[in-house]
Amino acid sequence: MKFPPRYECTFVLNQAAASALIESAASRFDAPTTSDVCDLYYDVQQWQRPTKPKSIDKEIRRVRRIDHAWDVFLEQQRRDKQTTKLRRTVAASSELKRLEFDEIDSSWEGKWFHKNIVKQGLQRSLQIQFDRLAFEADSIEGSLRMTIDRNIHCRAFSDLANPTQTPSTPLPMHLVRMKYFVSLPAIFKSLIYEFALLPHPTSMYRECVLRRPVDQCAAMHHSLSNPEPIATESAAENEVATCQFG
């Protein structure tokens, strides 16, 4: 399934600000839904740090599992300056074995995902797990959604079978996303003005890649036993977050 492009404003908050935002949103939206999300990202095998951090998550491919369900989502997400495009297919966990081989089954619904992985030589690289709180509502211009991601942890895929060798790295941040289809809804404007929120162009995947403990083992070809540190790089100063306030 391909979803229509939608606008997205991203904000990074600390725990106190996120708690206040949740309390305020609870008075404006219906009761939120909660879920435990686990994403497994695919990246090139001969991984190299991009010279521009914003290119890290311009196009991502992942397998998403929600609430430990048997069925998972094969997802491809593309970002431009203002919108995101999502393609998603549901697959049973037992079918993920297909992704480990080069032969593509043309009858499988996830063949498009498998084809991209094989064509670009992608490998499982990084697992990100987090708790998601989602507020949803309907408007004249379409549905809108605000998600607040907390308790974010990253782990290199290189040895998930032995977590003691690849301890997860916590991200001390709360990631808030406001998603809509046309113009910024009044309900989002009120929250932005109430808490003086400033859009921050980032994603969990980008933050994990840019953090040294994960970055040292994010690439499948980089050994965890290699003591040589990989230099970190701050987000590009010239990158500008855009968000419609009209």
Side-chain angles (χ1 to χ4, degrees), residues 15-26:
Q15 183 173 354
S19 297
L21 177 65
I22 292 172
E23 183 178 355
S24 182

Side-chain angles (χ1 to χ4, degrees), residues 223-242:
S223 172
L224 286 170
S225 61
N226 188 345
E228 180 182 356
I230 296 179
T232 57
E233 176 181 287
S234 59
E237 295 180 358
N238 294 329
E239 186 175 3
V240 178
T242 56

Side-chain angles (χ1 to χ4, degrees), residues 88-121:
R88 166 187 281 180
T89 295
V90 179
S93 295
S94 57
E95 296 181 320
L96 294 180
K97 281 285 186 182
R98 299 172 183 262
L99 302 178
E100 299 178 13
F101 305 100
D102 291 339
E103 184 178 354
I104 300 172
D105 184 354
S106 59
S107 64
W108 185 39
E109 290 186 357
K111 63 182 179 181
W112 65 271
F113 188 87
H114 192 188
K115 183 178 180 180
N116 285 337
I117 287 177
V118 173
K119 184 178 180 179
Q120 299 187 36

Side-chain angles (χ1 to χ4, degrees), residues 37-50:
V37 183
C38 184
D39 291 335
L40 181 59
Y41 287 84
Y42 283 74
D43 211 330
V44 291
Q45 187 171 7
Q46 297 302 319
W47 190 90
Q48 294 181 351
R49 178 187 297 281

Side-chain angles (χ1 to χ4, degrees), residues 47-60 79 200-211 231-239:
W47 190 90
Q48 294 181 351
R49 178 187 297 281
T51 56
K52 297 181 179 180
K54 64 180 179 180
S55 67
I56 293 174
D57 52 6
K58 187 174 183 180
E59 182 171 311
I60 58 175
R79 299 175 183 271
H200 186 82
T202 193
S203 68
M204 278 184 286
Y205 184 66
R206 186 192 302 192
E207 292 294 327
C208 286
V209 169
L210 291 177
R211 290 175 185 271
T232 57
E233 176 181 287
S234 59
E237 295 180 358
N238 294 329
E239 186 175 3

Side-chain angles (χ1 to χ4, degrees), residues 49-219:
R49 178 187 297 281
T51 56
K52 297 181 179 180
K54 64 180 179 180
S55 67
I56 293 174
D57 52 6
K58 187 174 183 180
E59 182 171 311
I60 58 175
R61 293 171 181 84
R62 67 192 175 205
V63 175
R64 168 163 289 186
R65 187 188 303 274
I66 300 177
D67 291 333
H68 309 283
W70 175 253
D71 288 340
V72 297
F73 297 105
L74 309 178
E75 297 185 342
Q76 174 181 277
Q77 187 177 69
R78 293 177 177 173
R79 299 175 183 271
D80 59 22
K81 292 182 178 180
Q82 290 188 329
T83 63
T84 60
K85 298 179 181 179
L86 178 66
R87 184 176 184 181
R88 166 187 281 180
T89 295
V90 179
S93 295
S94 57
E95 296 181 320
L96 294 180
K97 281 285 186 182
R98 299 172 183 262
L99 302 178
E100 299 178 13
F101 305 100
D102 291 339
E103 184 178 354
I104 300 172
D105 184 354
S106 59
S107 64
W108 185 39
E109 290 186 357
K111 63 182 179 181
W112 65 271
F113 188 87
H114 192 188
K115 183 178 180 180
N116 285 337
I117 287 177
V118 173
K119 184 178 180 179
Q120 299 187 36
L122 305 182
Q123 300 287 339
R124 293 166 291 188
S125 63
L126 188 67
Q127 182 191 71
I128 304 178
Q129 191 163 4
F130 56 95
D131 296 329
R132 167 162 288 182
L133 188 68
F135 293 91
E136 296 181 297
D138 293 322
S139 68
I140 297 177
E141 298 175 338
S143 61
L144 54 94
R145 176 179 172 89
M146 182 175 73
T147 58
I148 303 174
D149 298 330
R150 305 172 290 177
N151 300 323
I152 305 169
H153 284 75
C154 311
R155 187 193 303 277
F157 176 77
S158 48
D159 195 5
L160 284 174
N162 193 341
T164 59
Q165 294 185 18
T166 55
S168 63
T169 300
L171 265 65
M173 58 184 288
H174 292 66
L175 199 64
V176 178
R177 292 192 181 94
M178 297 180 180
K179 309 170 186 181
Y180 54 97
F181 287 104
V182 184
S183 60
L184 189 67
I187 193 171
F188 286 163
K189 288 181 182 179
S190 64
L191 290 172
I192 290 173
Y193 292 142
E194 178 181 352
F195 295 97
L197 301 178
L198 295 176
H200 186 82
T202 193
S203 68
M204 278 184 286
Y205 184 66
R206 186 192 302 192
E207 292 294 327
C208 286
V209 169
L210 291 177
R211 290 175 185 271
R212 178 177 144 187
V214 172
D215 201 46
Q216 284 184 286
C217 51

